[in-house]
Structures are given as structure tokens and as C-alpha cells.
Amino acid sequence: MTSPTALSIAQDLLRCPSVTPADAGALGVLERLLGDAGFDVHRVTFSEPGTADIDNLYARIGTSAPHLSFAGHTDVVPAGEDSAWSHGAFSGDVADGLLYGRGAVDMKGGIACAVAATLDYLAANGGKPKGSISFLITGDEEDVAVNGTVKLLQWAAERGERFDHCIVGEPSNVETIGDTIKIGRRGSQSGVLIVDGTQGHVAYPHRASNPIPDIAALITALNDEPLDQGSAQFQPSNLEFTSVDVGNPATNVIPAQARAKFNIRFNDHHTQDTLKALVEERLAAACGNRIRARIEWLPSNADVFVTKPGAFTDVVSSAIADVTGRIPDLNTGGGTSDARFIAKYCRVVEFGLVGQTMHQIDERTPISDLDKLTAIYRGVLERYFK
Ligand SMILES: [Zn+2]
């Protein structure tokens, strides 16, 4: 029996309209394929008041180390206007060598390649890896992401699961398959700068204290001094103000308070705690004894992480070079993904299809990219378990 191709698996997944929080049968496709190949498959549902229950899947074959996991999500963002698609958003149609559908690159296509590569690897190796292979698949990544990867990892840890390395099949490539591996992401921390003044009549400013010139001075101070100069794997951290508000409808009243929102994307020179301390120290210096200001930090679950270039990234890079002839860029730019949660448990990189059409009308991938990504994952398995 020959293993199913990535294309046929991807089509089965794309035909399930699994817009978060719906599963619409997507995890069942994986459950059948992995179960038939001898994986121990678990379907786990997580709940949280105020959010929809979400279906997740964990499947493992093998009991020994090393343990390589493929992670991803089967949920997709909404299709938008279906009539705007040249092929139905959930049709899984192929035309001119392209596979169409919501999730084709983000990221049902990537999952299909990982499953196809794994089934082929197992078929060629007597049905068992020299170690363990698992799949960590959530249905809750694209929306609020509370009943997904975070809880699935906790659930697995409580069962005694230990992961050595993980590949998240998000569409990491920018232009062409093989151009980029994401080896980390910056952390994200938001806050509100609050400056207290004293409300008063504009005609009697000596009886008031206007927070507007003060917050302007503090914004300049915090904005202008770099947080760092970047690191080996990261660009410099950046503090960006996104709004300034006094909520004052009057032209004859000095407001009592001014607020400014900001977000910081920070690199591995900082943790959330040291970053907050640094910003607060700079704020205190800029305030002196005169300005009354403070920062309200917003909750953040986006810590910085990086998998430093080494044996594991070499395995992935050499598999990529073998198939595509390209040496991938090891990159840490862009927004956050579930990899930030996985990084707390094991080394993780992101490598999948090309991201150009993700979240767009006519999301699509060349079938040749599915073939290349499958061959790359196959090469990773070969090297990892040699
Ligand atoms: Zn995604």
C-alpha cells in the first residue's frame, strides 16, 4: 500500500470548513490517517467560560527519545466573500498546478506535508521511528487561542510527555520555498503611560497643572533612547507609541490626566520583567521630581524566544538545501505564533509553505511546493533519526 500524498491529505482537510471554533471533521482526517499508521491518537476538548469548546489532537508513535513533534493548527480564518474566490474557499480544487482553499498555506497544506512525509518515512522503516514522532494539532490558533496549544502542552506534560524538538508548519517562507526558517520571535508587551495633572480653567493656568506638555516630553524621552542595539539573532527592540488621549471635549478646560498607549517588540536582551524595569527607570529619570506619571502594563503571553543555530537548525537547513538548493535565512522577524508556547517545552523552529496568500481571497499553493515541503520534512526525519 502506498502512502497518501500531501495533495490528497490537504484536499481532505481543505474540504472541512473549519473556521475557528468549528472543527468540521478536519481533525478526524488526521485521526484516521495517523491511527491507521499505528499512532496512539488522543482527541482532547478544552473549555473555558465565555469561549467555545475546542477540539485538539495529540498523536504519538514510539516511546523512546529523541522525540520530534510536528505542531500546527487545523482551524482557519473566515473565507470572506465566497463569490470572490476563483475556486470555492472549501473546494480543495486544483487548477493549473495550484491547490486552492482557505488554509492551503496557513496551514492545512503544511500539516498535510508533515503527515505524508511521516507516513512515507514509517513505511520505509518497518513502521517505527528510531525514537518518537508526534503531532500536536490544535483547532484554536486563529482566534482567541485559549483552548489550544497552551492547554494541549500542559495536558501532554501532565501525562509525562517530553519533547526534544518541534517543527511548526506555519508558512515561514517569504517568496520561495526554502528561503526562511523562523527560529524565534520577538516578545510583545503593551502598556499605557499615564500622566496626572490638575484640572483647571485655561484662563487660570497657574491654578492647574497641564499633563499634555508633560506627556509629550515623556513620550519623546521614551521614544528617542534605543532599548538596545539588537543581538546576534534579533533586530533592536522597539518601543512604539500608538495613541495619545486626554478625552477632553472642551477648549477651555485643562485636562486632569493624559494617557498614551504603546507596544514594545523586544529581543533576547530582555525578559518581560527586566524590560518593564528598564522602561520604568527611564520614566522616573525623565519625570524628575516634577511630573507625576506611571505605567499600567497590560497582560502579555508573548515572551521572546529563540532556538540558537546549532545541530537542530542544521538538520532542517540541510534538508532544505538538499531539496531546493537554497540555504535558508534563519529569521526572527514578524508577529507571534504558537511557537512561543512550545518554546517553553523544547527547541522549536517554524518551517512550512510560502506565506504570500495567507488570509487572502484565493489562498493557494503550488502543488510543486507541497511536494518539496514533503521531501524536506522527509529529509528532516531521515537526518533526525539516523
Ligand atoms: Zn497559521
Side-chain angles (χ1 to χ4, degrees):
M1 194 188 87
T2 56
S3 305
T5 62
L7 174 61
S8 72
I9 301 170
Q11 284 179 309
D12 286 349
L13 291 172
L14 289 174
R15 287 169 183 156
C16 305
S18 52
V19 177
T20 336
D23 171 63
L27 290 176
V29 171
L30 302 178
E31 182 175 15
R32 276 189 299 282
L33 287 166
L34 295 171
D36 288 350
F39 276 77
D40 189 14
V41 186
H42 302 265
R43 293 283 292 271
V44 209
T45 304
F46 296 119
S47 312
E48 182 99 16
T51 65
D53 287 3
I54 302 279
D55 229 354
N56 298 271
L57 178 147
Y58 178 68
R60 175 173 177 166
I61 191 165
T63 49
S64 57
H67 181 177
L68 176 64
S69 191
F70 289 101
H73 61 88
T74 47
D75 62 322
V76 294
V77 295
E81 196 59 58
D82 201 55
S83 60
W85 286 67
S86 31
H87 298 269
F90 300 103
S91 67
D93 278 358
V94 170
D96 299 325
L98 299 166
L99 170 65
Y100 285 81
R102 172 59 79 227
V105 297
D106 183 15
M107 59 171 278
K108 290 173 169 177
I111 292 173
C113 294
V115 171
T118 300
L119 299 184
D120 188 56
Y121 172 81
L122 292 172
N125 287 276
K128 283 257 180 317
K130 295 186 193 115
S132 302
I133 304 172
S134 66
F135 285 83
L136 273 164
I137 309 291
T138 181
D140 193 14
E141 197 272 344
E142 294 288 8
D143 195 10
V144 289
V146 298
N147 290 315
T149 298
V150 174
K151 289 185 179 175
L152 191 58
L153 287 162
Q154 282 166 356
W155 172 89
E158 280 160 20
R159 286 173 40 88
E161 298 290 323
R162 296 285 173 271
F163 303 94
D164 294 304
H165 298 92
C166 180
I167 298 175
V168 181
E170 288 279 6
S172 59
N173 296 287
V174 184
E175 303 268 352
T176 337
I177 194 141
D179 65 23
T180 310
I181 305 176
K182 295 265 186 203
I183 59 163
R185 300 283 184 134
R186 292 174 295 174
S188 172
Q189 175 67 58
S190 296
V192 187
L193 170 64
I194 301 166
V195 179
D196 289 315
T198 306
Q199 199 183 50
H201 195 297
V202 288
Y204 305 93
H206 54 285
R207 291 185 201 156
S209 161
N210 192 340
I212 295 175
D214 289 344
I215 202 165
L218 296 179
I219 287 172
T220 302
L222 293 176
N223 191 71
D224 286 2
E225 193 178 354
L227 290 162
D228 54 62
Q229 304 299 324
S231 70
Q233 270 81 44
F234 287 90
Q235 61 195 97
S237 302
N238 180 54
L239 186 156
E240 200 67 37
F241 279 95
T242 56
S243 85
V244 186
D245 305 284
V246 290
N248 182 10
T251 53
N252 60 352
V253 177
I254 292 170
Q257 193 182 71
R259 302 163 74 92
K261 291 184 189 146
F262 63 90
N263 175 269
I264 305 173
R265 294 297 158 112
F266 61 96
N267 63 32
D268 55 347
H269 282 305
H270 313 272
T271 65
Q272 287 180 11
D273 288 342
T274 63
L275 180 75
K276 290 176 188 172
L278 174 66
V279 174
E280 283 175 4
E281 195 181 295
R282 288 185 180 181
L283 177 66
C287 286
N289 293 325
R290 197 181 59 78
I291 305 177
R292 286 177 293 150
R294 65 185 186 281
I295 292 171
E296 259 175 34
W297 296 104
L298 302 179
S300 164
N301 59 7
D303 256 322
V304 58
F305 76 90
V306 63
T307 296
K308 295 246 163 75
F312 182 53
T313 58
D314 286 351
V315 160
V316 182
S317 291
S318 86
I320 291 167
D322 222 24
V323 173
T324 66
R326 285 183 196 94
I327 305 295
D329 177 32
L330 305 183
N331 186 284
T332 59
T336 61
S337 83
D338 273 359
R340 68 185 189 271
F341 306 127
I342 299 167
K344 294 186 165 62
Y345 295 84
C346 68
R347 289 183 192 194
V348 57
V349 299
E350 294 170 61
F351 185 76
L353 290 164
V354 178
Q356 267 161 354
T357 62
M358 62 194 283
H359 296 206
Q360 294 180 7
I361 298 285
D362 277 348
E363 181 173 345
R364 62 195 178 275
T365 180
I367 292 164
S368 59
D369 277 7
L370 294 176
D371 294 340
K372 283 181 197 156
L373 183 59
T374 305
I376 290 166
Y377 287 151
R378 182 73 169 77
V380 168
L381 290 165
E382 208 64 64
R383 287 166 173 80
Y384 190 82
F385 292 111
K386 78 164 182 302

